[in-house]
């Protein structure tokens, strides 16, 4: 079964850091672009970041550039999102998705809450 | 504020057809056939319904179809069913600083 499972969401204070993980299974992970998409409570979907199969290309939304880092470990079939200098507006469910531009497999999401 | 615009809500009766619009610019929808649509039921994970403007993934009902004209993409749901009641989001590749832009979402009521 093709599956993505996120973890790492937590409550963190403004200015803090958090690392999200996404474990992939059921497909050849290293042949797919991978992305993070987030959804703030009661709001719509928002693309966050995308990484190429070999990690050689990475793209970010403007508001997270310089604060978030997307990476992957193809040996462990895992996608990561390192989030630093977190702000209240980063509070959201973070989904990992398979693909770039369209996402055909989604994880169940992990909640990151930034609050004092 | 989303770069793409969608109607906040669309409603229809069972069996009817409805169309959801997604209007962008020449920097996104108008210049690239990289428009996708997602269905999201409350508290659930988004589901890909259409990609590359009009392609339907395996397993998605043929009642769902996509098209594009100029800067506006559309999702049509024919033979509306109660289970189609959900939020629908469009997405497009963009040459703006935001590489992939979502619309604000449209709530479909059956």
């Amino acid at each position: 079964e093709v599956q993505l499972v996120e973890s790492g969401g937590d409550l963190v204070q403004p200015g803090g850091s958090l690392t999200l993980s996404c474990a992939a299974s059921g497909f050849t992970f290293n042949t797919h672009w991978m992305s993070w998409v987030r959804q703030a409570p009661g709001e719509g979907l928002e693309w966050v970041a995308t990484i190429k199969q070999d990690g050689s290309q990475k793209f970010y939304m403007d508001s997270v550039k310089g604060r978030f880092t997307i990476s992957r470990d193809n040996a462990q079939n895992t996608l990561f999102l390192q989030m630093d200098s977190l702000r209240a507006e980063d509070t959201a469910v973070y989904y990992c998705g398979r693909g770039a531009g369209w996402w055909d497999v989604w994880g169940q999401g992990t909640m990151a809450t930034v609050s004092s | 504020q989303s770069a793409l615009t969608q109607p906040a809500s669309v409603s229809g009766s069972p069996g009817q057809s409805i169309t959801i619009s997604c209007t962008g610019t020449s920097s996104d929808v108008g210049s690239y056939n990289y428009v996708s649509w997602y269905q999201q039921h409350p508290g659930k994970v988004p589901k890909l319904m259409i990609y590359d403007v009009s392609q339907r993934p395996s397993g998605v009902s043929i009642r769902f179809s996509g098209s594009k004209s100029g800067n506006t993409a559309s999702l049509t749901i024919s033979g509306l069913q109660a289970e189609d009641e959900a939020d629908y989001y469009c997405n497009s590749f963009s040459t703006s600083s935001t590489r992939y832009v979502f619309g604000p979402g449209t709530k479909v009521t059956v």
Side-chain angles (χ1 to χ4, degrees), chain A residues 33 35 37 39 43-47 50 57 59-62 65 95 100-104 106-109, chain B residues 34-36 38 40 44-48 50-52 57 89 91-93 97-104:
Chain A
W33 289 74
S35 301
V37 175
Q39 186 169 34
E43 301 295 325
L45 301 173
E46 185 174 50
W47 169 75
T50 292
Q57 291 185 54
F59 303 97
Y60 301 91
M61 64 179 295
D62 280 350
K65 285 178 183 175
Y95 297 101
W102 50 270
W103 302 279
D104 61 344
W106 295 66
Q108 86 288 348
Chain B
Y34 299 136
V35 176
S36 54
Y38 302 84
Q40 187 179 35
K44 301 298 185 182
V45 175
K47 177 185 178 182
L48 177 67
I50 295 288
Y51 66 96
D52 291 352
Y89 296 91
N91 180 276
S92 174
F93 172 80
S97 56
T98 301
R99 188 172 181 88
Y100 303 112
V101 291
F102 279 99

Side-chain angles (χ1 to χ4, degrees), chain A residues 27-81:
Chain A
F27 66 98
T28 306
F29 182 70
N30 63 13
T31 64
H32 291 269
W33 289 74
M34 295 294 296
S35 301
W36 289 96
V37 175
R38 70 185 182 185
Q39 186 169 34
E43 301 295 325
L45 301 173
E46 185 174 50
W47 169 75
V48 177
T50 292
I51 186 169
K52 193 177 179 180
Q53 290 92 328
D54 61 359
S56 61
Q57 291 185 54
K58 304 176 183 181
F59 303 97
Y60 301 91
M61 64 179 295
D62 280 350
S63 66
V64 308
K65 285 178 183 175
R67 301 189 300 121
F68 289 12
T69 302
I70 188 172
S71 62
R72 62 193 298 163
D73 182 339
N74 287 339
Q76 296 296 321
N77 294 334
T78 304
L79 176 72
F80 301 99
L81 185 68

